[in-house]
Amino acid sequence: MIRWIIFIVLIGVADYYAFQSLKTVTKSNWWYVLYWIVTFAVIGHFIYQFFGFNRSAGFSQANALAVGFLIAMIVPKLILITVMFAEDVFRIPQGIYSYFMQDDSTSGNQIRHFPSRRKFISQIGLGLASIPLASILYGMYKGKYNFKVLKYTLHFEDLPKAFDGYRLTQISDVHSGSFDNIKKVEYAIDLINEQKSDVILFTGDMVNNTAQEMRPYVDIFKKLEAKDGLFSVLGNHDYGDYVRWENTEDKKQNLEELKFIQKEIGFDLLLNENRFIEKEGERIALVGVENWGKGGFKKAGDLKKASSKVDKNDFKILLSHDPSHWEQQVINDDYHYHLTLSGHTHGMQFGIEIPGWFKWSPVKWRYKYWAGIYEELGQYINVNRGFGYLAFPGRVGIWPEITVIELKKGEKPA
């Protein structure tokens, strides 16, 4: 109830300022009518989707669109609030002073004048608000399929010589239930294959809610190819925990179906297990844990079990969906995990990033390691920004990612 009160107050304040700025800039009644039609349509659609939300079906594309359009409406209005409120910081005290302190010396009548809003301030506010509006709408229309191939080279002194120059491609967080353009997905799969990596590694969240979401894309993902194979782990969404199942057997069967789909595609699913890739008499270990995340997320991952057949001196690549696992358990483990591959954060699907120079997203306040390569105690983690999208049906500034990592033997160049 409190959340709804806060929501209503926020919407009310935002619309008060937004409509005032519109009235300052134009006197056209048609613009006023259009403003309120759009506002009530977006809010009404969101309320309809919220109260019609079916936990048995999970979060749907219609739910996501309702969230997306609400965000597209609210964020620009929050910009307007900031600009218009800044004007009121000066305007309101001036009005109070004029009302109580000034008078007409010739007539003795008090001047009851409240300064009107300045048109150019409203124009500035509307101009600034148009930037996030355009960005969000672009992110919903095109940004969610704006796939980027990010390439890294990592150096390790103890990398087996036979694997010098070895290339791996990582994808994560497919969230197939969110897709609405099968051609764009086909393009991304072709883009992955164009990298011609030695191995393809998937770090979890193939679906949003149920295994059936992946069915329309199985044949497309079957096209993935790498000479040393495809390997995967589960993410928190893959277990069906966000759906209200009629019974536990249905939930269990859903997970088994998802495992079968991964096998059908060609993924070797690592459930707290490991595999070795051998080359010229040398080997590297692939270690895959089930989901382990802090803050209420499923903790099915068992690092010790997953590494039970791995020698301490082996070169190890760990697949773990949630980067909080790396922070909480992996970094200080007795085994030295040379490279960990994670996803989960999506980079919040929103932020500002200039590759090689600057990156920022609100998700940094939740996750210390949220996008890209990090190094701690001589160990690396790559947090993939995600292949798909969830909840908000788009991406703004943080684009869908295909990671290509080349392993090199020797010291890191100065």
Side-chain angles (χ1 to χ4, degrees):
M1 184 63 182
I2 294 176
R3 286 180 295 180
W4 277 107
I5 293 174
I6 294 173
F7 174 74
I8 292 170
V9 170
L10 177 64
I11 292 293
V13 172
D15 278 313
Y16 170 78
Y17 276 105
F19 190 63
Q20 278 207 348
S21 67
L22 184 64
K23 288 174 65 178
T24 304
V25 171
T26 180
K27 303 304 179 185
S28 171
N29 288 329
W30 287 108
W31 280 107
Y32 304 161
V33 171
L34 179 62
Y35 174 89
W36 289 115
I37 288 176
V38 172
T39 296
F40 284 119
V42 170
I43 294 174
H45 183 221
F46 177 79
I47 293 173
Y48 172 78
Q49 291 296 333
F50 179 85
F51 283 105
F53 179 65
N54 183 358
R55 282 295 304 272
S56 297
F59 199 80
S60 68
Q61 291 182 4
N63 300 144
L65 281 174
V67 170
F69 285 124
L70 185 71
I71 291 173
M73 183 187 75
I74 289 180
V75 173
K77 289 181 180 180
L78 292 178
I79 301 296
L80 274 173
I81 287 176
T82 304
V83 175
M84 306 301 284
F85 182 76
E87 182 185 23
D88 281 348
V89 169
F90 298 97
R91 194 172 72 98
I92 292 174
Q94 288 176 0
I96 293 174
Y97 177 82
S98 175
Y99 187 90
F100 289 104
M101 302 300 294
Q102 295 183 3
D103 56 54
D104 188 332
S105 57
T106 59
S107 64
N109 293 327
Q110 205 172 41
I111 298 175
R112 300 178 181 274
H113 169 67
F114 197 85
S116 60
R117 291 198 176 278
R118 288 168 287 186
K119 185 176 181 179
F120 83 95
I121 296 294
S122 294
Q123 289 173 329
I124 290 173
L126 288 168
L128 291 174
S130 68
I131 296 173
L133 175 61
S135 298
I136 292 169
L137 293 178
Y138 173 83
M140 292 173 63
Y141 179 59
K142 282 196 170 183
K144 59 189 177 184
Y145 296 121
N146 186 22
F147 294 98
K148 301 296 182 183
V149 177
L150 301 184
K151 297 183 179 182
Y152 304 98
T153 300
L154 300 180
H155 292 76
F156 303 91
E157 293 185 31
D158 56 349
L159 178 70
K161 187 176 180 180
F163 289 88
D164 186 23
Y166 195 79
R167 286 163 57 89
L168 59 90
T169 289
Q170 179 200 2
I171 57 172
S172 191
D173 299 87
V174 168
H175 289 288
S176 56
S178 298
F179 292 143
D180 56 11
N181 191 324
I182 199 165
K183 293 296 183 183
K184 296 294 185 181
V185 179
E186 289 178 337
Y187 162 77
I189 296 302
D190 290 340
L191 193 58
I192 292 171
N193 285 333
E194 285 176 13
Q195 308 313 309
K196 298 188 182 302
S197 290
D198 298 291
V199 66
I200 294 175
L201 306 172
F202 171 60
T203 47
D205 276 3
M206 183 164 279
V207 298
N208 295 344
N209 306 298
T210 68
Q212 289 304 311
E213 295 169 2
M214 191 62 191
R215 271 290 158 210
Y217 304 97
V218 168
D219 288 340
I220 298 173
F221 275 75
K222 277 183 178 181
K223 297 177 183 178
L224 287 172
E225 53 185 26
K227 69 181 184 64
D228 288 336
L230 286 62
F231 299 87
S232 64
V233 292
L234 297 175
N236 54 298
H237 279 266
D238 294 325
Y239 296 89
D241 288 342
Y242 307 115
V243 177
R244 182 179 292 132
W245 300 94
E246 292 187 6
N247 53 68
T248 56
E249 186 58 34
D250 286 349
K251 182 179 180 181
K252 181 179 178 181
Q253 183 57 42
N254 176 73
L255 181 56
E256 292 304 313
E257 174 67 12
L258 183 64
K259 292 177 183 178
F260 177 79
I261 287 174
Q262 293 220 23
K263 183 177 180 180
E264 190 177 353
I265 291 171
F267 282 111
D268 184 354
L269 179 61
L270 305 180
L271 301 169
N272 294 322
E273 298 172 285
N274 58 77
R275 304 285 188 270
F276 291 101
I277 297 177
E278 297 186 359
K279 189 176 181 181
E280 299 175 13
E282 296 182 298
R283 71 181 189 178
I284 60 175
L286 296 181
V287 180
V289 297
E290 294 195 51
N291 190 79
W292 193 103
K294 69 176 182 180
F297 288 104
K298 181 181 286 291
K299 293 178 173 60
D302 187 333
L303 189 59
K304 296 299 183 186
K305 180 181 178 182
S307 302
S308 60
K309 297 178 181 179
V310 176
D311 188 85
K312 191 173 184 178
N313 294 320
D314 280 322
F315 187 93
K316 294 172 284 295
I317 298 175
L318 173 67
L319 280 63
S320 181
H321 176 69
D322 192 318
S324 65
H325 184 222
W326 192 67
E327 178 185 3
Q328 298 286 319
Q329 293 194 345
V330 178
I331 295 176
N332 295 308
D333 191 88
D334 289 340
Y335 270 38
H336 183 88
Y337 291 90
H338 298 76
L339 173 62
T340 297
L341 303 177
S342 297
H344 182 64
T345 72
H346 299 205
M348 203 174 172
Q349 298 168 212
F350 173 82
I352 302 170
E353 188 164 11
I354 304 174
W357 290 89
F358 177 80
K359 65 180 178 183
W360 176 88
S361 169
V363 79
K364 67 176 292 185
W365 298 321
R366 174 67 173 83
Y367 291 96
K368 182 178 180 179
Y369 311 102
W370 59 274
I373 297 284
Y374 302 87
E375 181 182 5
E376 297 283 353
L377 302 178
Q379 301 166 90
Y380 291 95
I381 185 173
N382 180 63
V383 185
N384 184 285
R385 294 159 181 81
F387 184 91
Y389 51 93
L390 178 69
F392 171 61
R395 285 179 175 266
V396 179
I398 304 292
W399 311 119
E401 176 181 343
I402 297 165
T403 312
V404 178
I405 298 176
E406 183 177 9
L407 308 179
K408 296 293 290 183
K409 184 174 179 61
E411 294 184 4
K412 180 180 178 181

